[in-house]
Structure formats: structure tokens, C-alpha cells
Amino acid sequence: EAVLFSPLEGKITFEGKPAVGAKINLWIKWKDKKGEHFGFTADENGFFHIPQKVAIYKENPLAQIVITQEITVEYDNENYLIWTLSKSNTHQFGELGGKPSNLTCELTTEEMDTHLEYALMGTLCKWDKLTKVSEK
């Protein structure tokens, strides 16, 4: 079983205020060019939860899995790219090397931060710390 996307929860804000009703779109690509799309909505406090996405994957010593994740947010008739990531591991929270706490994504942030220790990533999201989770 491969974790294509680890569970993610946090808050979406616009100019520091909750982005109430923001439409969150997750796209995951790993086995074909089309990929899979999933939709979620931020609540009255801007909070959102995206559940874990898994698939059955048979490891091949001659090939390396590459999982691409992209999260966009539609808010106030604008689209924002808040998360773009490519990872080559299949374990839970392998994207960041741990579970993020107090995740907040501010839509008006000018530039994406890049994290390269565990994956190639750009994000508008910030978090306090990462909690290590054992690999499965």
C-alpha cells in the first residue's frame, strides 16, 4: 500500500482572516498523466481536512515511484496554488518527514517557500513543527 497523500489539516486565511467556504482542490498524479482530483471546502473558521489517499502499489526494483501532489484554492473568484510537491517515497507523512502541527496557508503570501529535505516542494503554508511518525 502506497500513501499517495498523507492526511492534512489546517487553516486557510486571506489577509489574516479565515477564508470561509474556500474550495480546496487536490490533484494527485502517480500512474498516468490524468491523475485524480478531489474537492474539499473550508469551514466557517477557514479550517479544512484532507484525508489520507492510498493505493495498492507493487514495488519494482527497476522503477522508482514518483507521486505529484498539487493543492489549489478557489476563493473570492480567484485561484491560488498553495501546495506543489513531488515525492518518491510511499510512507505516511513522507512528504515532509513528519506530521505538521498548526498548519496555516495564507493566500496573500507573495512567494512559495521551498522545502527540499524530503521532497521537492513549494507551498504558501507554514507550520510550527513536524512530529515524527514511524514508517509503515
Side-chain angles (χ1 to χ4, degrees):
E1 193 171 82
V3 176
L4 305 177
F5 187 87
S6 299
L8 188 68
E9 59 187 19
K11 184 175 185 176
I12 298 177
T13 59
F14 182 85
E15 296 178 346
K17 297 178 180 129
V20 178
K23 302 293 183 203
I24 300 141
N25 301 296
L26 168 64
W27 175 66
I28 303 170
K29 180 180 85 165
W30 69 285
K31 64 180 178 175
D32 59 33
K33 291 181 181 183
K34 181 180 174 188
E36 297 178 272
H37 294 267
F38 305 91
F40 307 92
T41 304
D43 70 11
E44 65 276 359
N45 297 307
F47 287 104
F48 70 93
H49 172 76
I50 301 174
Q52 176 171 279
K53 301 295 180 188
V54 297
I56 301 301
Y57 168 70
K58 186 174 180 180
E59 289 192 36
N60 180 337
L62 302 175
Q64 175 69 47
I65 189 170
V66 176
I67 303 163
T68 301
Q69 306 169 351
E70 186 175 285
I71 301 174
T72 57
V73 173
E74 186 180 325
Y75 182 72
D76 200 22
N77 296 316
E78 295 288 334
N79 284 308
Y80 303 88
L81 175 64
I82 67 165
W83 181 283
T84 180
L85 182 142
S86 290
K87 71 174 193 164
S88 59
N89 60 57
T90 58
H91 58 276
Q92 187 180 51
F93 300 111
E95 295 91 336
L96 305 175
K99 181 180 179 180
S101 63
N102 296 322
L103 182 110
T104 301
C105 308
E106 170 59 49
L107 299 178
T108 61
T109 301
E110 292 291 322
E111 290 184 26
M112 290 190 141
D113 286 339
T114 304
H115 304 271
L116 298 173
E117 188 173 352
Y118 297 97
L120 179 58
M121 175 185 202
T123 185
L124 298 183
C125 304
K126 309 269 187 208
W127 50 88
D128 291 341
K129 66 178 182 172
L130 296 172
T131 304
K132 295 288 183 188
V133 178
S134 61
E135 293 182 25
K136 292 182 179 182

